[in-house]
Amino acid sequence: MGHEDCVSKFCNAGWGEVLSRLSPYGYANFGIAFGLGFSVVGAAWGIWLTGSSLVGAAVKAPRIRSKNLISVIFCEATAIYGVIMAIILANKIKKPGDGITTELPEDWDFNSFYYAGFGMFSAGLSVGLTNIASGVSVGIAGSSCAIADAQDASLFVKILIVEIFASALGIFGIIVGIIESNACNFPIGAAE
Amino acid sequence: MASTPSGTHGGMADFNIHHGFIEALIRGMRSSFLADSDYHHITQCETLEDVKLNMSETDYADAVSDLTVLTPSGLQSAAINKLVTEFKYVRTQAVEPLATFLDFITYEYMIENIMLLLKGALSGRDINELLAQCHPLGMFKESTMRSIPTFEANAKGFADLYQTVLVDTPVGPYFAMFLQESSNAMGGEVRNVIEEVEIEIIKSSLIKYWIEDFYQYVQKLGGETAEIMGDILMVRADTNAINITLNSFGTPLNEPVMRTSDRKRLYPAVGHLYPAGTHMLADVSTEEELGKVLDLFPQYTSIWSVHAAEAEMSIDDAFYERDVQALELAFESQMHFGCFYAYVKLKEQEIRNLVWITECILQAQKDEINKFVPVFSSHAPWRSSTKAR
């Protein structure tokens, strides 16, 4: 990988060749995009799930308005995890140093290069996909929470515990993402 | 006729796109039902003035404040108008497929209204009086309703009535199916049908077609709606079948010839009793035989034993209790349409309860006053609750 010659002229003889020839810069930036994009999809999904029920239930029971905004905040938190991860990853992407124009030099630090690319892709995906699941889960639980709270105020705190567990799923994603991307560093020059 | 929904309503993750607000609205209205404590206060009242005072602390405050003097019929119409206002509010906000679902709920009342107008026309009553008695949920265009009793009460008049007026109403297809089936049975004479067949039998047939159509629609919606509404409609169909059989004893419909040709056609093709039970019910001629048939169906043995033992509760109340149990279940899960139907039906039950209680107070029959079926009661036989609401 990396140094061997391709079988075909454009390095596209099969999926294996295509995937292993994708530039690590591409992998890393896709990781950022997926991480942020999927997290926001999950958060938005959760917010409209819980928001529509909250507005409807508040018509007959206006007292639930303020308390149930917590559900919306939990959903928003999943989007924030995505933003944090994206910022961390974006700061780790560096241009190659001066003097390197079209071809990477022979002594380029390919180890860190590929490690960083794949690692950041995986970190982004892990945050993004877990946040979709977390966002949808918090949304559905939040919708039921608003409706139940409108009928019986003592139910709110109990259903909130369900939502807390649901939003913990997003935290798992960002923890793993941070641990994984810690060791990823794009090189700017030759290997030391 | 099988109406097809324009799509499914989505599962847990996307039901709220189109129906989230409205469903939460209906579930918020659940808190407007009278609680056990409200029923307790109202049944303790000595006069109807006290009832009015107690009602003004419930959700009926606005409805009751317009009545200068509380009478059972006045309370009933005020409560029904309140229900209709709420229903129309929900209906205007609904999108497909919920809109058609809500329309299906109103078709039942449309059938009742049309039958009322036809019966009134036959006995020559005043049109305005009839219109005032119509159920508000089942009204269609006033010009249409006014033209129903104006048709002549003969064969040609009825044929014209169907072809010009009824065919445009949403329940027109049910009439078409009824006329088709009756003319098939009678050998092709369409015009004489409405004249010769009793109004009650027409109504039972129309309600049967409505239940079957609604059931098909709900099954096509799929998901939890199909499960919950399917169960509710099956119980409804079985109630109709049992009531038709029970009410036919002692009438010409019970004769052996009529049983297979006419009575059997009135049983809906939906329900726990269909097809084996309705086949057996078609041959039943006495109450004993009816009891033997129902013994084979565990859901109905308890209801039948209430009737057979002639205990405190009438069989209608036993059916209402079974209905209330099934309808309350619709509020137990979210993201389906069952709660809309259940809300209308449970409100109707509550209105029936209020009329019963006020009638008992008016006629000073205090020992009968507790024979109603409360809704969402913590003392319900199927609910072992330790906490009162």
Side-chain angles (χ1 to χ4, degrees), chain A residues 45 48-50 52-61 136 139-140 143-145 147 150-152 154 158, chain B residues 12-17 20-32 59 86 89 334-335 387 389:
Chain A
W45 200 333
W48 62 247
L49 275 175
T50 196
S52 53
S53 290
L54 173 54
V55 171
V59 170
K60 280 284 185 175
V136 174
I140 296 176
S143 154
S144 304
C145 186
I147 290 178
Q151 296 297 316
D152 185 359
S154 67
K158 306 199 169 89
Chain B
M12 252 200 288
D14 45 2
F15 179 86
N16 278 8
I17 300 179
F21 172 74
I22 250 199
E23 194 212 2
L25 196 65
I26 276 273
R27 285 172 188 277
M29 290 183 192
R30 181 195 187 278
S31 54
S32 70
D59 201 59
E86 287 166 357
Y89 178 55
Q334 218 185 325
M335 321 275 189
K387 253 200 306 194
R389 273 199 52 177

Side-chain angles (χ1 to χ4, degrees), chain A residues 157-189:
Chain A
V157 178
K158 306 199 169 89
I159 301 184
L160 200 64
I161 296 178
V162 174
E163 285 184 58
I164 290 172
F165 278 109
S167 74
L169 301 173
I171 295 182
F172 298 156
I174 193 168
I175 288 174
V176 169
I178 288 179
I179 292 174
E180 216 178 340
S181 62
N182 249 345
C184 296
N185 284 302
F186 271 103
I188 53 173

Side-chain angles (χ1 to χ4, degrees), chain B residues 1-3 104 174 209-217:
Chain B
M1 162 191 148
S3 328
F104 262 107
Y174 305 140
Y209 290 125
W210 169 75
I211 289 181
E212 286 169 8
D213 196 22
F214 201 178
Y215 187 81
Q216 296 301 325
Y217 185 79

Side-chain angles (χ1 to χ4, degrees), chain B residues 79-150:
Chain B
I80 288 182
N81 284 336
K82 173 174 174 287
L83 169 63
V84 171
T85 312
E86 287 166 357
F87 185 83
K88 286 198 173 130
Y89 178 55
V90 170
R91 174 65 183 84
T92 48
Q93 316 242 8
V95 294
E96 291 294 341
L98 180 58
T100 311
F101 184 90
L102 292 174
D103 286 338
F104 262 107
I105 302 178
T106 61
Y107 292 166
E108 182 191 359
Y109 300 105
M110 281 185 191
I111 293 174
E112 270 179 33
N113 286 350
I114 294 178
M115 287 296 116
L116 184 76
L117 291 172
L118 281 177
K119 214 194 265 183
L122 281 179
S123 44
R125 288 168 63 191
D126 175 40
I127 172 73
N128 290 317
E129 197 187 309
L130 289 171
L131 277 181
Q133 276 193 336
C134 281
H135 196 286
L137 265 181
M139 304 289 264
F140 29 89
K141 246 177 24 179
E142 175 136 3
S143 52
T144 315
M145 300 196 81
R146 281 189 177 274
S147 59
I148 290 178
T150 59

Side-chain angles (χ1 to χ4, degrees), chain A residues 44-186:
Chain A
W45 200 333
I47 291 180
W48 62 247
L49 275 175
T50 196
S52 53
S53 290
L54 173 54
V55 171
V59 170
K60 280 284 185 175
R63 60 177 167 82
I64 70 168
R65 280 174 313 197
S66 328
K67 267 204 296 186
N68 281 277
L69 287 176
I70 292 181
S71 309
V72 178
I73 291 173
F74 273 128
C75 291
E76 184 70 21
T78 61
I80 291 176
Y81 300 151
V83 171
I84 292 174
M85 200 67 232
I87 291 176
I88 291 175
L89 293 177
N91 280 334
K92 287 178 183 289
I93 299 183
K94 299 182 184 52
K95 282 195 305 190
D98 295 331
I100 300 171
T101 49
T102 47
E103 293 271 334
L104 293 171
E106 278 294 321
D107 56 352
W108 177 256
D109 188 359
F110 283 102
N111 286 343
S112 314
F113 193 43
Y114 282 104
Y115 186 86
F118 295 138
M120 290 202 215
F121 182 68
S122 162
L125 261 192
S126 77
V127 168
L129 294 178
T130 52
N131 280 338
I132 286 187
S134 168
V136 174
S137 174
V138 173
I140 296 176
S143 154
S144 304
C145 186
I147 290 178
D149 189 17
Q151 296 297 316
D152 185 359
S154 67
L155 288 174
F156 175 71
V157 178
K158 306 199 169 89
I159 301 184
L160 200 64
I161 296 178
V162 174
E163 285 184 58
I164 290 172
F165 278 109
S167 74
L169 301 173
I171 295 182
F172 298 156
I174 193 168
I175 288 174
V176 169
I178 288 179
I179 292 174
E180 216 178 340
S181 62
N182 249 345
C184 296
N185 284 302
F186 271 103

Side-chain angles (χ1 to χ4, degrees), chain B residues 102-374:
Chain B
L102 292 174
D103 286 338
F104 262 107
I105 302 178
T106 61
Y107 292 166
E108 182 191 359
Y109 300 105
M110 281 185 191
I111 293 174
E112 270 179 33
N113 286 350
I114 294 178
M115 287 296 116
L116 184 76
L117 291 172
L118 281 177
K119 214 194 265 183
L122 281 179
S123 44
R125 288 168 63 191
D126 175 40
I127 172 73
N128 290 317
E129 197 187 309
L130 289 171
L131 277 181
Q133 276 193 336
C134 281
H135 196 286
L137 265 181
M139 304 289 264
F140 29 89
K141 246 177 24 179
E142 175 136 3
S143 52
T144 315
M145 300 196 81
R146 281 189 177 274
S147 59
I148 290 178
T150 59
F151 280 85
E152 297 161 4
N154 59 26
K156 186 172 183 314
F158 283 122
D160 290 340
L161 171 69
Y162 169 68
Q163 272 150 12
T164 49
V165 170
L166 293 177
V167 74
D168 287 331
T169 61
V171 296
Y174 305 140
F175 276 93
M177 287 198 288
F178 169 72
L179 289 173
Q180 187 66 34
E181 199 187 335
S182 304
S183 68
N184 284 345
M186 294 172 84
E189 278 295 318
V190 178
R191 292 186 185 176
N192 288 333
V193 165
I194 300 189
E195 190 176 57
E196 295 185 12
V197 180
E198 278 177 41
I199 293 275
E200 280 305 314
I201 295 189
I202 301 178
K203 186 169 154 190
S204 302
S205 303
L206 293 174
I207 295 279
K208 163 195 145 164
Y209 290 125
W210 169 75
I211 289 181
E212 286 169 8
D213 196 22
F214 201 178
Y215 187 81
Q216 296 301 325
Y217 185 79
V218 149
Q219 290 302 315
K220 284 187 189 144
L221 278 177
E224 264 203 71
T225 300
E227 207 178 302
I228 291 176
M229 277 307 296
D231 193 47
I232 292 175
L233 287 175
M234 284 205 281
V235 170
R236 180 82 193 268
D238 293 335
T239 307
N240 279 10
I242 295 175
N243 276 336
I244 288 173
T245 318
L246 205 53
N247 293 338
S248 73
F249 295 148
T251 69
L253 203 55
N254 200 23
E255 277 148 44
V257 172
M258 293 287 276
R259 266 186 257 145
T260 37
S261 69
D262 283 5
R263 196 172 81 190
K264 185 165 188 192
R265 277 191 295 141
L266 296 177
Y267 297 137
V270 160
H272 299 293
L273 287 176
Y274 173 81
T278 50
H279 187 76
M280 285 192 274
L281 277 182
D283 298 325
V284 158
S285 60
T286 64
E287 291 202 6
E288 261 185 57
E289 289 178 23
L290 180 55
K292 280 208 207 88
V293 170
L294 288 181
D295 270 340
L296 301 167
F297 296 93
Q299 305 101 323
Y300 299 109
T301 40
S302 53
I303 293 185
W304 183 251
S305 58
V306 160
H307 175 83
E310 299 207 1
E312 306 236 323
M313 204 189 276
S314 72
I315 194 173
D316 279 338
D317 274 344
F319 276 127
Y320 284 147
E321 207 179 53
R322 175 62 55 91
D323 275 345
V324 165
Q325 183 180 5
L327 292 168
E328 284 183 9
L329 276 178
F331 277 90
E332 296 286 316
S333 57
Q334 218 185 325
M335 321 275 189
H336 61 84
F337 290 162
C339 52
F340 296 95
Y341 180 84
Y343 180 76
V344 173
K345 290 292 162 188
L346 287 171
K347 266 297 180 191
E348 265 196 350
Q349 177 63 35
E350 186 177 83
I351 294 174
R352 273 197 286 266
N353 293 346
L354 283 174
V355 170
W356 175 264
I357 293 174
T358 46
E359 285 282 1
C360 281
I361 292 179
L362 191 65
Q363 297 172 12
Q365 302 225 4
K366 285 308 206 96
D367 43 351
E368 304 273 317
I369 202 168
N370 282 318
K371 289 188 187 176
F372 58 86
V373 185

